[in-house]
Amino acid sequence: MKNGAREGFQFELATYLADQDFVYGPEPELYTPIAGFYSYGLLGKALKNKVEDKVRKVFVEHGFFEVEFPLISPEIIWKASGHLDGFNDSVISCSKCKSSFRADKLIEEETGKEIAGAKDEDLLAAIKRNEIKCPNCKGRLEWEITRHSLMMKTIIGRDIVVYNRPETATTTYLPFKRYVQFFRGKLPFTVFQIGKAFRNEISPRQHLLRMREFTQAEAQIFISKDQKQNFPPFKEVENDLLPLWSEQLQKSDKAPESVSLKNALKNNYLKNQAYAWALLLAYKVFLEMGIPKEKMRFRQHHSNERAFYADDAWDLEIELNSFGWTECCGVHDRTTYDLSQHAKFSKQKLVVRTEDGKEIVPDVIEIAFGVDRPFYALLDLAFFKRKDDDKRTVLSLPPSMAPVDVGVFPLIKKDGLPEKAKEVLQALKGSGIRTYYDDSGSIGKRYSRLDAGGIPFCVTIDHDTLKDNAVTIRERDSLKQTRVKIKDLRGTLEKFLEKGFSEK
Amino acid sequence: MKNGAREGFQFELATYLADQDFVYGPEPELYTPIAGFYSYGLLGKALKNKVEDKVRKVFVEHGFFEVEFPLISPEIIWKASGHLDGFNDSVISCSKCKSSFRADKLIEEETGKEIAGAKDEDLLAAIKRNEIKCPNCKGRLEWEITRHSLMMKTIIGRDIVVYNRPETATTTYLPFKRYVQFFRGKLPFTVFQIGKAFRNEISPRQHLLRMREFTQAEAQIFISKDQKQNFPPFKEVENDLLPLWSEQLQKSDKAPESVSLKNALKNNYLKNQAYAWALLLAYKVFLEMGIPKEKMRFRQHHSNERAFYADDAWDLEIELNSFGWTECCGVHDRTTYDLSQHAKFSKQKLVVRTEDGKEIVPDVIEIAFGVDRPFYALLDLAFFKRKDDDKRTVLSLPPSMAPVDVGVFPLIKKDGLPEKAKEVLQALKGSGIRTYYDDSGSIGKRYSRLDAGGIPFCVTIDHDTLKDNAVTIRERDSLKQTRVKIKDLRGTLEKFLEKGFSEK
């Protein structure tokens, strides 16, 4: 999509998401909204829960254990992690309307080119070279970059300085000694955390993609350097394919390649087995959420983009209709950096003992992403694919991710049909299939409403139901219908939700 | 239990929960801990997720929709809700060691009597009357009550004053106009929210029961005054029993009574059908979590305990071994208070139109609780019931709430048994049954470890398994065993997890 078309689509999508109760905001809508804060609405929260459940499912199946650390933690932790000193945005202001903007993002948006990691003078040069003006009023930008901390500070008790955490990862490292005990000192071990994080961005934009409060999901693999090279689970998946766009391919203007893990190591795209396995795991999480293969690629960070301690870093990007290719997950080899920092600041030993009796600080490979972006991606892709005609707008969410599984409608609100519908609801109770009952207004309007919310199936109770105890199941996208006995309804819907609709 | 025994049990339980990876803290353990912050550990987080899933399940089955509002919101909201002016603790300090304490809680702990809602002079009088000293150093307490705000303030952008929310409920009311649209203007409608809240308590104590950061679950019933009296779902449950301890019964030193909802209205224990239904729903949530009937009661607030706007308020209390009867949920008739306040402060109309065309502000009945307390209650009850003998400590958590469902153990780590065990894991994959594989150390030690973590079943793969493709299932509490074919294992475990173990 061209930039203009994209902006139109962004606006249309945001409006749709609010109207259809997926995302409200910026919040508080009722008062004066603050940029970068959104709420998940009556349908949206159900979808967000499903996204989180999928993350949990894939990680737990692969042997990861979840933890939940407080969102608030004291200054010293963020001193150790480097956030307190290094976690700030480059800010440039407009000389006319006094608005402030994040300089690097402004340049990227105006030029379409990455400028991450640039120094202040490079940012100023890029603004000059590209003749960038204030996006609000077209005024001249001030010739100065200032630094704005992203940390949100508060006070506990009477005087303890603490911060709302800017990421989950650091807080996942802190109970390291507990993990060593639980896993009986044996590397590798794997832990993850899903939870809120906070960044006081100076000018949050792009809807759910850059918020001031967001939900992260970050998984950590604690592993020795030897195990990275020789990682037993690798063997089982070495022929699986990943869409890799290495630094090399990017620089020579070539497209991403579909490469098996085995070949990715042979070609030196990837450095070690454990890292390759982690990339694949990230890919599986996103596939499980229902993001289609052809909309994903892994882009390697350029050497100047990476954190100074990172040994390697690739982003999983999703091609959004609203914003183009967008980073939705990063896999980082953080080496021993974090554990060493916390050992230094806490003056404690953070080590494990290897089989030959040596004490080592494990490396950490991190799979880091947010829940909000895949949530947004699912809706972006479904909304783009929607079918609009005179009668209906259909949101084609994957059935396994729909906020509600099935609408239950008596054809009309009399003749005992609502009572019969209650029987149907009863038959589905406790099954885990989420129903939505509606008996008011025309049946057509009721269908339209659920189509627009992405609900995959509707069950209709009509006059024949009173005689034959059968109901009609209608599929959202194809409008195909099938009739089943009430006693078989639960099993049929379970099958449809897992494997898709079939007429017989 | 006597107070002394209770304190011993509290300490023993807290130690156990940390050692067994349920709850770490106070956090950050690695640095200088701050009172009132705990983390959920490698087993604890799985249990916490189950508690939240049960809450979600019961509310969704009863037609509630979930939302997620930001944790951070601007000053005006907390001005409107009354928190900014009224949400503070009475603090008293020690003249000797300078420690500060929450005066009302200190008095309650020392006297065993409720003193909620007392004025400063009453607090001072109670301290004098009961000769209360500093609990840390036994020094004399200062003759002055000061007020300490519980709100955690931070700054967004460059100068917007915001707070970490002190409760979820207020933030659930804010998208009211969105709800009216979604529910097409028809009362009653029902919404809930599960999420973090923050209170800067001056002296948090009692482990997970009074934290500075905690997880709330609060459900709201928006309803008209007429509908409260005449609430159709009431009819279906009017004969269900609740353990009610009315203000009257408390004042006349009588025990709680088991009363049907119908009779509770007839006897004027409860004021209306919708409120009675809400109490029952709260009870169902806690039963679903696995809290036993005989450990629960509903205690009515005394008229002087209630918020000035509240029409009625009852607490669901659980009898803990560590702290005695403890408030774990409150059901409050908040009337039109919150919506009226937000209408006034936002200068917007927050109304629905009734069928006869009148605009009304709905009443709100709230079911308010935290996730942390029932989590703690489950462990308190299971730990008290544990069987300690020479060989094992058994945590008898309800099987449906265990952090992991089944341990999978090859008898020894050779002869192809670990490979066979992998087949067993494969057979359970995708079933939703959570497994924990362990092949190191003696089988006895492996059993003990899972017993202590409350894991209800272990599956053992032995040499016979190689011949007959059958494994042994061992039940945690009874130590009974049964042998099943691997192909039947999934179905058998699903049955056991739902209905309990049986030998055939």
Side-chain angles (χ1 to χ4, degrees):
Chain A
M1 245 194 260
K2 296 272 180 198
N3 269 346
R6 265 193 196 149
E7 275 167 35
F9 185 80
Q10 287 160 22
F11 178 78
E12 218 186 327
L13 175 58
T15 308
Y16 188 84
L17 295 184
D19 288 348
Q20 296 299 328
D21 295 279
F22 283 97
V23 181
Y24 310 135
E27 293 284 6
E29 286 185 332
L30 188 64
Y31 291 92
T32 306
I34 308 180
F37 293 95
Y38 288 86
S39 63
Y40 286 90
L42 299 164
L43 292 184
K45 177 58 177 167
L47 173 56
K48 188 185 183 226
N49 287 343
K50 286 204 169 180
V51 173
E52 290 183 13
D53 287 347
K54 294 295 188 185
V55 175
R56 213 160 254 146
K57 176 172 175 276
V58 176
F59 282 128
V60 168
E61 277 183 3
H62 285 80
F64 287 67
F65 279 76
E66 190 175 356
V67 292
E68 181 183 313
F69 203 86
L71 307 188
I72 286 183
S73 38
E75 197 155 29
I76 189 165
I77 287 171
W78 307 109
K79 201 82 189 153
S81 71
H83 284 85
L84 213 50
D85 297 322
F87 202 55
N88 52 49
D89 274 350
S90 55
V91 175
I92 193 153
S93 303
C94 172
S95 64
K96 203 167 131 197
C97 74
K98 308 294 171 198
S99 304
S100 298
F101 307 93
R102 199 172 139 183
D104 55 349
K105 288 290 160 189
L106 183 62
I107 296 166
E108 285 176 14
E109 283 170 31
E110 298 288 325
T111 65
K113 283 188 197 143
E114 290 272 343
I115 194 163
K119 292 190 191 121
D120 289 1
E121 53 264 36
D122 302 331
L123 295 171
L124 288 171
I127 285 169
K128 191 168 185 185
R129 193 170 55 247
N130 295 288
E131 298 178 358
I132 297 171
K133 302 268 180 232
C134 169
N136 286 356
C137 77
K138 302 293 159 203
R140 185 178 53 78
L141 295 170
E142 296 282 7
W143 196 243
E144 189 196 16
I145 303 281
T146 57
R147 290 279 156 183
H148 170 81
S149 171
L150 296 169
M151 302 290 288
M152 293 185 194
K153 181 176 171 172
T154 189
I155 299 289
I156 293 297
R158 293 187 189 273
D159 54 10
I160 305 170
V161 175
V162 297
Y163 293 88
N164 284 358
R165 67 181 175 195
E167 63 164 26
T168 62
T170 288
T171 66
T172 307
Y173 303 136
L174 299 178
F176 175 75
K177 295 210 273 188
R178 296 283 187 184
Y179 308 154
V180 172
Q181 198 185 8
F182 181 84
F183 295 108
R184 288 180 281 186
K186 284 214 183 111
L187 293 175
F189 55 76
T190 51
V191 178
F192 72 107
Q193 189 170 185
I194 302 177
K196 291 269 183 168
F198 304 84
R199 292 183 187 178
N200 185 15
E201 300 228 15
I202 194 70
S203 51
R205 297 164 76 177
Q206 302 185 318
H207 204 236
L208 296 193
L209 304 193
R210 269 175 56 209
M211 291 195 282
R212 281 165 160 160
E213 175 183 325
F214 46 98
T215 304
Q216 286 191 314
E218 299 188 312
Q220 317 294 333
I221 303 167
F222 296 84
I223 190 166
S224 75
K225 294 206 195 300
D226 291 347
Q227 289 167 343
K228 277 160 79 171
Q229 297 301 335
N230 192 351
F231 186 65
F234 176 82
K235 194 73 195 160
E236 291 164 37
V237 294
E238 62 178 9
N239 294 314
D240 284 22
L241 299 174
L242 283 180
L244 297 181
W245 202 30
S246 65
E247 183 172 3
Q248 193 67 52
L249 290 170
Q250 294 166 54
K251 286 187 169 163
S252 41
D253 267 331
K254 289 188 182 147
E257 285 175 7
S258 179
V259 194
S260 71
L261 298 196
K262 194 164 61 181
N263 287 333
L265 289 179
K266 205 181 284 168
N267 303 347
N268 289 317
Y269 284 179
L270 302 177
K271 290 189 175 178
N272 60 66
Q273 293 186 351
Y275 189 86
W277 183 86
L279 277 191
L280 182 68
L281 184 57
Y283 195 53
K284 282 182 183 167
V285 170
F286 280 74
L287 286 172
E288 180 76 29
M289 291 173 187
I291 308 288
K293 265 196 168 87
E294 65 276 13
K295 294 288 177 187
M296 292 194 276
R297 71 180 183 198
F298 282 97
R299 188 183 71 78
Q300 187 175 26
H301 280 208
H302 294 201
S303 355
N304 65 351
E305 254 182 285
R306 292 203 297 264
F308 69 90
Y309 54 80
D311 190 46
D312 200 3
W314 291 68
D315 286 341
L316 187 161
E317 298 184 329
I318 301 179
E319 191 178 17
L320 299 178
N321 298 294
S322 41
F323 294 102
W325 285 99
T326 302
E327 180 215 326
C328 288
C329 173
V331 179
H332 312 121
D333 187 337
R334 294 175 75 136
T335 67
T336 61
Y337 174 75
D338 301 274
L339 290 176
S340 303
Q341 283 291 103
H342 290 296
K344 191 171 123 192
F345 278 77
S346 69
K347 302 195 177 64
Q348 300 205 38
K349 258 193 185 176
L350 298 179
V351 296
V352 295
R353 194 177 289 275
T354 59
E355 279 176 22
D356 51 4
K358 268 193 303 193
E359 277 183 350
I360 63 158
V361 180
D363 278 18
V364 174
I365 298 172
E366 174 196 44
I367 304 172
F369 55 102
V371 172
D372 314 287
R373 288 189 181 195
F375 170 95
Y376 183 87
L378 282 166
L379 290 164
D380 172 287
L381 298 171
F383 186 61
F384 187 71
K385 274 200 311 186
R386 78 192 182 280
K387 296 167 193 130
D388 288 318
D389 61 31
D390 290 350
K391 297 222 180 76
R392 54 190 217 125
T393 299
V394 182
L395 194 65
S396 296
L397 281 172
S400 63
M401 299 305 286
V404 169
D405 298 309
V406 52
V408 176
F409 301 160
L411 187 64
I412 51 171
K413 202 179 172 173
K414 54 183 183 183
D415 303 343
L417 298 186
E419 291 69 22
K420 197 72 188 168
K422 295 279 153 74
E423 261 180 53
V424 170
L425 292 173
Q426 198 54 40
L428 296 177
K429 209 171 162 179
S431 65
I433 295 174
R434 183 167 180 184
T435 56
Y436 176 74
Y437 177 79
D438 193 0
D439 63 11
S440 61
S442 80
I443 189 92
K445 275 196 187 147
R446 284 180 265 158
Y447 284 142
S448 306
R449 190 160 182 238
L450 293 209
D451 288 345
I455 317 310
F457 304 109
C458 289
V459 167
T460 312
I461 292 88
D462 56 27
H463 291 92
D464 288 342
T465 308
L466 300 174
K467 296 174 226 152
D468 64 2
N469 274 310
V471 292
T472 303
I473 305 177
R474 165 193 181 271
E475 196 275 334
R476 178 194 63 199
D477 295 355
S478 65
L479 292 179
K480 284 184 181 162
Q481 305 200 341
T482 188
R483 202 157 168 95
V484 299
K485 294 280 180 194
I486 293 173
K487 69 174 172 50
D488 301 326
L489 183 61
R490 177 173 167 170
T492 306
L493 285 172
E494 280 168 349
K495 202 184 73 189
F496 288 180
L497 285 164
E498 204 188 318
K499 302 188 178 160
F501 180 85
S502 69
E503 275 161 289
K504 245 315 68 112
Chain B
M1 245 193 264
K2 296 269 179 201
N3 268 347
R6 264 192 197 150
E7 275 167 35
F9 185 81
Q10 287 161 22
F11 178 78
E12 218 187 328
L13 176 59
T15 308
Y16 188 85
L17 294 184
D19 288 349
Q20 296 299 329
D21 295 280
F22 282 97
V23 181
Y24 311 136
E27 293 284 7
E29 287 184 333
L30 188 63
Y31 292 92
T32 306
I34 308 179
F37 292 95
Y38 289 87
S39 63
Y40 286 90
L42 298 164
L43 292 184
K45 177 57 177 168
L47 173 56
K48 187 184 184 227
N49 287 343
K50 286 203 171 178
V51 172
E52 290 183 14
D53 287 347
K54 294 294 188 187
V55 174
R56 212 161 253 144
K57 177 172 174 277
V58 176
F59 282 128
V60 167
E61 278 182 2
H62 286 80
F64 287 68
F65 280 76
E66 190 175 356
V67 292
E68 180 183 313
F69 203 86
L71 308 189
I72 286 183
S73 38
E75 197 155 30
I76 189 166
I77 287 172
W78 307 110
K79 202 82 189 154
S81 71
H83 284 85
L84 213 51
D85 298 321
F87 202 55
N88 52 50
D89 274 350
S90 54
V91 175
I92 193 153
S93 302
C94 171
S95 63
K96 203 167 132 200
C97 74
K98 307 293 173 201
S99 303
S100 299
F101 306 94
R102 201 172 137 182
D104 55 350
K105 289 287 161 192
L106 183 62
I107 296 166
E108 285 177 12
E109 282 169 32
E110 298 288 325
T111 64
K113 285 189 195 141
E114 290 271 344
I115 193 163
K119 291 190 190 122
D120 289 0
E121 53 264 35
D122 301 331
L123 295 170
L124 288 172
I127 285 168
K128 193 168 184 183
R129 192 170 56 245
N130 296 287
E131 297 178 358
I132 298 172
K133 302 268 177 232
C134 170
N136 286 356
C137 76
K138 303 291 160 204
R140 184 179 53 78
L141 295 170
E142 297 280 8
W143 196 243
E144 188 196 17
I145 303 280
T146 57
R147 290 279 155 183
H148 170 81
S149 170
L150 296 169
M151 302 289 289
M152 294 186 194
K153 180 175 170 172
T154 188
I155 299 290
I156 292 298
R158 293 186 189 272
D159 54 10
I160 305 170
V161 175
V162 297
Y163 293 88
N164 284 0
R165 66 181 176 195
E167 63 165 26
T168 62
T170 287
T171 67
T172 307
Y173 303 135
L174 298 178
F176 175 77
K177 295 209 274 189
R178 296 283 187 185
Y179 308 155
V180 173
Q181 199 185 9
F182 181 84
F183 296 107
R184 289 180 280 186
K186 285 215 183 111
L187 293 175
F189 54 76
T190 51
V191 178
F192 73 106
Q193 189 171 184
I194 301 177
K196 291 268 184 168
F198 303 84
R199 292 183 188 179
N200 186 14
E201 301 228 15
I202 193 69
S203 52
R205 298 165 75 178
Q206 302 186 318
H207 204 237
L208 296 193
L209 303 193
R210 270 174 55 207
M211 291 194 283
R212 282 165 160 161
E213 176 183 325
F214 47 98
T215 304
Q216 286 191 313
E218 299 187 313
Q220 318 293 334
I221 302 168
F222 297 84
I223 191 166
S224 75
K225 294 205 194 301
D226 291 346
Q227 289 167 341
K228 276 160 78 172
Q229 297 302 336
N230 192 352
F231 186 65
F234 176 82
K235 194 73 195 159
E236 291 164 37
V237 294
E238 61 178 8
N239 294 316
D240 284 22
L241 299 174
L242 284 180
L244 297 182
W245 202 30
S246 65
E247 184 172 1
Q248 195 65 52
L249 289 171
Q250 294 166 55
K251 285 187 170 161
S252 42
D253 266 330
K254 290 189 181 146
E257 285 175 6
S258 179
V259 193
S260 72
L261 298 196
K262 197 164 59 181
N263 287 334
L265 289 179
K266 206 181 283 170
N267 303 347
N268 289 318
Y269 284 179
L270 302 176
K271 290 190 175 178
N272 60 67
Q273 294 186 350
Y275 189 85
W277 182 86
L279 277 191
L280 181 69
L281 184 57
Y283 194 54
K284 282 183 182 169
V285 170
F286 280 74
L287 286 172
E288 180 77 29
M289 290 172 186
I291 308 286
K293 266 196 168 86
E294 65 276 14
K295 293 289 177 187
M296 291 194 275
R297 72 181 183 197
F298 282 96
R299 189 183 70 79
Q300 187 175 27
H301 280 209
H302 293 201
S303 355
N304 64 351
E305 252 182 288
R306 292 203 297 264
F308 68 90
Y309 55 79
D311 190 45
D312 201 3
W314 291 69
D315 286 342
L316 187 160
E317 298 184 330
I318 301 179
E319 191 179 17
L320 300 178
N321 298 293
S322 41
F323 295 101
W325 285 101
T326 303
E327 180 215 326
C328 288
C329 173
V331 179
H332 312 122
D333 187 337
R334 294 175 73 135
T335 67
T336 61
Y337 174 75
D338 300 274
L339 290 176
S340 302
Q341 283 292 102
H342 291 295
K344 190 172 126 194
F345 278 76
S346 69
K347 302 194 176 68
Q348 300 204 38
K349 257 193 185 176
L350 299 178
V351 295
V352 295
R353 194 177 288 274
T354 59
E355 278 177 21
D356 52 4
K358 267 194 301 191
E359 280 182 348
I360 63 158
V361 180
D363 278 18
V364 174
I365 298 172
E366 175 196 44
I367 304 172
F369 55 101
V371 172
D372 313 288
R373 289 190 178 193
F375 169 95
Y376 182 86
L378 282 167
L379 291 163
D380 172 286
L381 298 171
F383 186 61
F384 187 72
K385 275 200 311 186
R386 77 192 182 279
K387 296 165 194 135
D388 287 318
D389 61 31
D390 289 351
K391 296 222 180 75
R392 55 192 217 125
T393 297
V394 182
L395 192 66
S396 296
L397 280 172
S400 64
M401 299 305 286
V404 169
D405 299 308
V406 52
V408 176
F409 301 160
L411 187 64
I412 51 170
K413 202 178 169 173
K414 54 182 183 184
D415 303 342
L417 298 187
E419 291 70 22
K420 197 71 189 171
K422 295 278 153 76
E423 261 180 51
V424 170
L425 292 173
Q426 198 54 42
L428 297 177
K429 209 171 160 177
S431 64
I433 295 174
R434 184 168 178 183
T435 56
Y436 176 72
Y437 176 79
D438 193 0
D439 63 12
S440 60
S442 80
I443 189 90
K445 277 199 186 146
R446 283 180 265 158
Y447 283 143
S448 305
R449 191 162 182 237
L450 294 209
D451 288 344
I455 317 311
F457 304 108
C458 289
V459 168
T460 312
I461 292 89
D462 56 28
H463 291 91
D464 287 342
T465 308
L466 300 174
K467 296 174 224 151
D468 64 2
N469 274 310
V471 294
T472 302
I473 304 177
R474 165 193 182 272
E475 197 275 332
R476 179 193 62 200
D477 295 355
S478 65
L479 292 179
K480 285 185 181 161
Q481 306 200 340
T482 187
R483 202 157 168 94
V484 299
K485 294 280 180 194
I486 293 174
K487 70 174 171 48
D488 301 326
L489 182 61
R490 176 174 167 168
T492 306
L493 285 172
E494 280 169 349
K495 202 184 71 189
F496 288 0
L497 285 164
E498 204 188 318
K499 301 187 179 163
F501 180 84
S502 70
E503 276 163 288
K504 243 320 60 110

